[in-house]
Every structure is written in structure tokens, then in C-alpha cells.
Amino acid sequence: MISTDLIKGSLKTIVLKVLKENGRMYGYEITRKVEELTQGKIRLTYGALYPVLHKLESEGVLVTESENFNNRIRIYYSLTEKGHSVVTEKIREMKEFIDSLQSIVNPQPGLSHA
Amino acid sequence: MISTDLIKGSLKTIVLKVLKENGRMYGYEITRKVEELTQGKIRLTYGALYPVLHKLESEGVLVTESENFNNRIRIYYSLTEKGHSVVTEKIREMKEFIDSLQSIVNPQPGLSHA
DNA sequence: TGCAATATATAAGTTACTTAAATATATGAA
DNA sequence: TTCATATATTTAAGTAACTTATATATTGCA
């Protein structure tokens, strides 16, 4: 498991990216998907996930649809048009972040023409 | 520039890794080095850096030596023995983190034998 | 009947930061 | 000479993104 400190700032981007790839998802499903993609290394807590989803909804980044499945409520989230452009920007930034971390943990001394 | 939220949890690891690579460094020099390595994308603020350095020192991860340079005080930090093993672990974790982020932003659908 | 998995919600607490302000010297430009 | 910029460190006060804990409810398996 990766320490939560490291993951902290990335939660929103992770959620949005997974939603972009998979279309309509409910909260529980999102945590599952993230665990699957990261081989269990990233586990979103519900105390973090749901408030983030609510906030993104109130910002107009996500919309919800409630459905009934097996007598359980499921709240499906999907990106709005605004959401799509937000994700695009967030992912661009995250790639830049990953590159930056790479250049710190794997510095390339011979790379002078960068 | 990368949003500070994203960088937040990585500060300690970044500082320690840069110190590991460069041996003895003073605070200001560390921020310079990180900017250089990341082409200006990651800028450590002093309000974050110095408290972290002090904390790492109090934890026995770093030791300091004060020197006078051009009538200015410079406080050099270097890793203790404990520090070296802390960095090793932190870097291992950060690589895992980077891999996890990669598998989210660049999912590889055909990679079933992972 | 009792536990694990499924599914969402939220209040209270923590902490790692940001922002801002303080201090001091050297250097180059106007 | 005076102003801005770069160098160099310190710390107080505030924020917000989380964690932890708790609550609720159904399904299915042993």
C-alpha cells in the first residue's frame, strides 16, 4: 500500500479519469476500479470519495442518476461537458507531475538537450 | 506549474532524494535543484521546506552543519545513516506511486499477465 | 445467526501544507 | 545612491483535503 499522504492531492484526478474511461459509474465501483488498475496499491476511502463526488457534482463537473439495484440504491455519476474539459486539463497536469517525479527519482545526467 | 495539491505529499521524499544524490546541500540550494530537475515545474516554497528540514533533523534523518559564506549563514543538511534507509524506502514507495498513477492515466487493456 | 460484501453518508479531528511577514547581505542597473 | 533582484533562513496563522469513526441497510454464504 502507498501512504495516503502521497495519494492525497491526486484523488480528484483519479476519480475523474476513471469516470472518463468507464462512462457511468457509482461510488463503490470507482474504488473497485482504482484498486484493480493499481493492483490494490491505491485504495480510496469512502470518507474521502463521497465528499469529493458531491463536491464535483455541485461544481457541475458530474451529474448523478439514482437507480435501484437489488433493493440497494446506486448513484451513478458521469461527466458533464464541463467535466470532460476539466478531466483533460487535470490529466495533462498529472502527466506533467509524473514526469517531474520521474526526473527526480530517475535523474538522467546525460539529458542536456531537454 | 503543477498545482501544489498534487505535490503536497511528495515534498519529504523529493527533499530526501535530492539530498541523497547530491550529498551536502543547504535549503535554498535544494529548491534550486528541484526546479532545475523538473524544468521549473516543481517549486518548493520556503514556508514548506524549512519546517520539513527541521522536522527531519529532529527525527534523526538529517544532520546540519552551519557555515559562513559571504557573511551569510548557510545551513548544510546531509543524510544520517538512518536517513539513508529512510530514503531508500521512500523512493521505493514513490516508484510504486508513479507506477500506480501511470496505470490510471495510461491504462493498458491488454496487460492481463501483470 | 453471524460475518463479509455491497452501498452511501457525514461529523469530527488531523496535518501538511500555503500565505504572509520578518530579517539581512550582495550585486547590478538606473 | 537608490531600487530591484537574488541570496538565505525563520516562523506564525490559516486552510482544506484528507482520515477516522460511526451510522444505516440489504444480500448471500456458512
Side-chain angles (χ1 to χ4, degrees):
Chain A
M1 269 284 281
I2 296 166
S3 91
T4 55
D5 273 0
L6 228 39
I7 299 165
K8 256 184 192 185
S10 309
L11 203 165
K12 209 175 275 187
T13 307
I14 290 171
V15 168
L16 290 173
K17 169 65 175 174
V18 169
L19 272 170
K20 184 196 163 117
E21 288 306 310
N22 298 274
R24 235 170 63 112
M25 296 180 95
Y26 53 99
Y28 192 79
E29 195 184 5
I30 293 173
T31 68
R32 289 278 165 224
K33 191 69 190 174
V34 170
E35 272 181 49
E36 183 200 323
L37 284 170
T38 63
Q39 277 127 44
K41 282 171 197 156
I42 295 185
R43 296 217 171 119
L44 309 184
T45 60
Y46 304 116
L49 176 68
Y50 288 108
V52 160
L53 287 172
H54 299 333
K55 200 185 173 209
L56 289 171
E57 191 192 359
S58 77
E59 288 169 2
V61 173
L62 301 178
V63 281
T64 60
E65 295 165 279
S66 294
E67 280 188 27
N68 224 288
F69 180 82
N70 259 359
N71 282 340
R72 266 191 225 104
I73 270 185
R74 271 188 188 166
I75 303 172
Y76 282 93
Y77 294 86
S78 43
L79 295 173
T80 59
E81 204 177 326
K82 181 184 172 187
H84 278 284
S85 61
V86 168
V87 186
T88 302
E89 169 55 19
K90 287 260 178 204
I91 290 172
R92 193 202 54 69
E93 193 191 25
M94 175 158 284
K95 284 183 176 170
E96 220 170 75
F97 176 52
I98 293 172
D99 284 350
S100 294
L101 289 185
Q102 290 280 20
S103 54
I104 289 169
V105 298
N106 285 321
Q108 309 203 347
L111 211 65
S112 54
H113 46 75
Chain B
M1 268 284 282
I2 297 165
S3 91
T4 55
D5 272 0
L6 229 40
I7 299 165
K8 255 186 193 185
S10 309
L11 203 166
K12 208 175 276 186
T13 306
I14 289 172
V15 168
L16 290 172
K17 169 65 175 174
V18 169
L19 272 171
K20 185 198 164 115
E21 289 304 311
N22 297 274
R24 236 170 61 112
M25 296 179 94
Y26 52 100
Y28 192 80
E29 195 184 4
I30 293 172
T31 68
R32 290 279 164 225
K33 192 69 190 174
V34 171
E35 273 183 47
E36 185 200 320
L37 284 170
T38 63
Q39 276 128 45
K41 282 170 198 156
I42 294 184
R43 294 217 172 119
L44 310 184
T45 60
Y46 305 117
L49 177 68
Y50 287 108
V52 160
L53 287 172
H54 299 333
K55 201 184 172 210
L56 290 170
E57 192 192 358
S58 78
E59 288 169 1
V61 173
L62 301 178
V63 281
T64 60
E65 296 164 278
S66 294
E67 278 187 28
N68 225 288
F69 180 82
N70 258 359
N71 282 341
R72 266 192 227 106
I73 269 185
R74 272 187 187 168
I75 302 171
Y76 281 93
Y77 294 86
S78 43
L79 296 173
T80 59
E81 204 177 327
K82 180 183 174 187
H84 277 284
S85 61
V86 169
V87 186
T88 302
E89 169 56 18
K90 287 259 179 206
I91 290 172
R92 192 202 54 69
E93 193 191 23
M94 174 159 286
K95 284 184 175 169
E96 219 171 77
F97 177 53
I98 293 172
D99 284 349
S100 295
L101 289 185
Q102 290 280 22
S103 53
I104 289 169
V105 298
N106 285 321
Q108 309 203 347
L111 211 65
S112 54
H113 47 76

